[in-house]
């Protein structure tokens, strides 16, 4: 017998005894359609690295989790600070440059 996976209810609300609280919605943006889940600070129990600012989101800090709508299982989800998620369309990708590299 294989171990049972804990799954959340499809309605966007935690299942009974699920522990954390979150709300899920679909967002349309210039970079496609995304499933976005708001995570409450009390439910944030691990540290994550925000792809928008490359800074750590410490445990206990409210944030959002987002993944492309066409990624059915959400296997490629990313944890973002809320302002970083909202500003993602206005930012250029972070490129690490050497000190004397040209900035073009």
């Amino acid at each position: 017998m294989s171990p049972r996976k804990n799954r959340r209810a499809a309605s966007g609300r935690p299942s009974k005894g699920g522990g954390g609280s979150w709300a899920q919605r679909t967002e349309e943006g210039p970079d496609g359609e995304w499933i976005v889940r708001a995570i409450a600070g009390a439910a944030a129990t691990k540290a994550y690295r925000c792809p928008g600012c490359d800074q750590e989101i410490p445990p206990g800090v409210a944030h959002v989790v987002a993944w492309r709508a066409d990624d059915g299982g959400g296997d490629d989800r990313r944890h973002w600070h809320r302002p970083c998620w909202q500003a993602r369309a206005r930012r250029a990708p972070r490129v690490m440059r050497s000190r004397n590299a040209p900035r073009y």
Side-chain angles (χ1 to χ4, degrees):
M1 182 176 211
S2 64
R4 188 178 127 196
K5 289 187 178 182
N6 243 350
R7 294 186 185 218
R8 301 243 186 227
S11 67
R13 303 223 181 252
S15 58
K16 290 182 181 177
S21 60
W22 47 266
Q24 184 172 302
R25 65 188 180 280
T26 302
E27 286 186 17
E28 185 71 36
D31 52 353
E33 189 174 354
W34 294 83
I35 306 295
V36 181
R37 183 178 293 170
I39 305 296
T45 58
K46 291 174 35 180
Y48 296 97
R49 176 84 41 194
C50 174
C53 65
D54 200 32
Q55 299 297 310
E56 184 178 282
I57 304 170
V61 173
H63 61 281
V64 298
V65 179
W67 63 94
R68 291 198 177 274
D70 57 4
D71 178 18
D75 294 332
D76 196 25
R77 349 180 245 267
R78 296 289 177 257
H79 295 253
W80 295 72
H81 293 107
R82 282 186 180 132
C84 294
W85 173 252
Q86 292 166 344
R88 73 190 185 285
R90 297 188 306 264
R91 288 189 178 179
R94 287 185 65 94
V95 177
M96 300 302 285
R97 296 184 179 98
S98 67
R99 193 176 254 202
N100 297 322
R103 294 189 175 261
Y104 53 85

